[in-house]
Amino acid sequence: MAQRPLITARDLEGVESPVIPRGAILTPLARDLLRKRGIEPEVCGRPAAASDPLVVGNWKSHKTLPEARAFAEELRAAARPGGVALVICPPHTALATLADALRGVAEVGSQDISAHGEGAHTGEVAARHLVDAGCRFAIVGHSERRHAGETDALVGRKLRRALAAGLRPILCVGETAEERRAGRAESVVSRQLEVLGGLEPARLEQVLVAYEPRWAIGSGQTPTPDEVESMLAHASAALARGADPAAAQRVPVLYGGSVKPSNAAELLGLPSCGGALVGGAALKVASFLGIARAAPGASG
Ligand code: PGA
């Protein structure tokens, strides 16, 4: 049975735009608090990403526990923009600590998830343990993992494990430089999105897609805004072809690959962009928030 996240009034204190995962259980006090702010809990229960852009930080293999705690303290103390949802994906070792330290400030996600359930799988971290550590999101199919040999089939299994546990998967897709040169960027992304085939609409709505051209990751290079928009629109259209169109429309498509404060407004402002997946620039509070502030509709 998937575990449904519990939202208490404490989780909502001081949070301008609460992120309430679909299916979450709200305590009576939390419901009252939302109603006083004129937010109908059912409306609020829609994925925040459907309306608010998401800025997701992928720390990769960076930061010790003291460093993660220091980041959380700084983020908590900083003036954060409203109208944008923040997610941090730290190394597994910092998940539980950060979920606690960032409560009401940002959500926490994993950078990967096991394709197996709990059991004799040495070194794997199962969905159940990620939920236990306070995760709400799980990145699947990041290009650094695909580069290490992950196939679409494996990514599809991981995605389903995440969904079954109530986690929102962030499915990364994107072409290599060679594939782009060969004019295959769109067909590669369409193929990678096929793992979403056959999902029930209610499940599909929980998914986020991150378009990350592999050659843009960590390189400082980005495609032109026109190229990004065309790929994001292509991903949205490909999603809609194979699935319930209304559910597919609710799947945010983020852009990732060398996003920084100086290019964030241009990228996040693209009509098809639902947010950003950020690596290097998510390691410092100032640059992470610099990106979040550039999101359209971000306030403060
Ligand atoms: P980058 O990484 O922002 O450092 O390019 C993005 C990612 O790997 O998700």
Side-chain angles (χ1 to χ4, degrees):
M1 261 297 262
Q3 191 175 322
R4 298 170 66 192
L6 178 74
I7 307 289
T8 66
R10 202 184 138 218
D11 294 326
L12 303 170
E13 267 165 26
V15 190
E16 246 185 270
S17 311
V19 179
I20 313 285
R22 180 162 299 210
I25 300 164
L26 288 117
T27 62
L29 269 180
R31 277 179 178 274
D32 282 348
L33 203 69
L34 288 177
R35 287 219 176 86
K36 272 188 205 138
R37 293 193 204 160
I39 305 171
E40 215 25 62
E42 279 66 35
V43 174
C44 186
R46 304 191 71 73
S51 50
D52 286 349
L54 264 104
V55 176
V56 183
N58 170 15
W59 282 359
K60 310 190 181 187
S61 199
H62 290 285
K63 291 198 193 288
T64 60
L65 274 180
E67 288 162 355
R69 271 191 217 104
F71 180 99
E73 269 167 39
E74 195 184 332
L75 187 61
R76 186 170 276 287
R80 296 180 306 277
V84 50
L86 305 177
V87 182
I88 298 285
C89 302
H92 285 355
T93 47
L95 280 172
T97 301
L98 270 196
D100 206 34
L102 289 176
R103 196 180 303 276
V105 170
E107 297 289 359
V108 166
S110 64
Q111 299 174 15
D112 188 26
I113 182 170
S114 177
H116 304 283
E118 191 174 35
H121 307 289
T122 303
E124 298 276 337
V125 183
R128 181 162 186 249
H129 303 121
L130 296 174
V131 171
D132 188 38
C135 279
R136 296 264 167 86
F137 294 82
I139 295 176
V140 294
H142 189 278
S143 78
E144 283 151 19
R145 302 205 60 85
R146 291 184 191 261
H147 186 67
E150 270 191 23
T151 60
D152 287 325
L154 180 58
V155 172
R157 287 205 294 281
K158 292 184 169 192
L159 180 117
R160 279 164 175 75
R161 284 284 177 194
L163 285 170
L167 292 165
R168 295 193 68 190
I170 302 172
L171 170 65
C172 297
V173 298
E175 79 287 356
T176 62
E178 207 177 22
E179 288 163 340
R180 173 158 281 259
R181 274 196 298 275
R184 292 178 47 224
E186 294 192 350
S187 61
V188 166
V189 166
S190 297
R191 191 206 71 224
Q192 291 168 335
L193 288 172
E194 279 171 19
V195 299
L196 298 172
L199 286 183
E200 287 166 24
R203 285 272 160 104
L204 181 62
E205 284 178 23
Q206 296 300 310
V207 174
L208 298 95
V209 168
Y211 166 62
E212 298 203 301
R214 284 202 204 181
W215 50 275
I217 294 178
S219 67
Q221 294 180 305
T222 55
T224 66
D226 280 354
E227 284 168 339
V228 173
E229 173 57 22
S230 137
M231 289 304 293
L232 298 175
H234 168 76
S236 296
L239 273 168
R241 265 198 299 280
D244 177 79
Q249 239 186 2
R250 293 202 190 95
V251 175
V253 184
L254 319 185
Y255 169 75
S258 296
V259 180
K260 43 192 180 237
S262 58
N263 61 16
E266 194 169 44
L267 293 165
L268 282 157
L270 292 169
S272 303
C273 189
L277 180 52
V278 186
L283 292 171
K284 291 217 158 64
V285 169
S287 44
F288 185 59
L289 284 182
I291 292 168
R293 278 191 206 101
S299 60

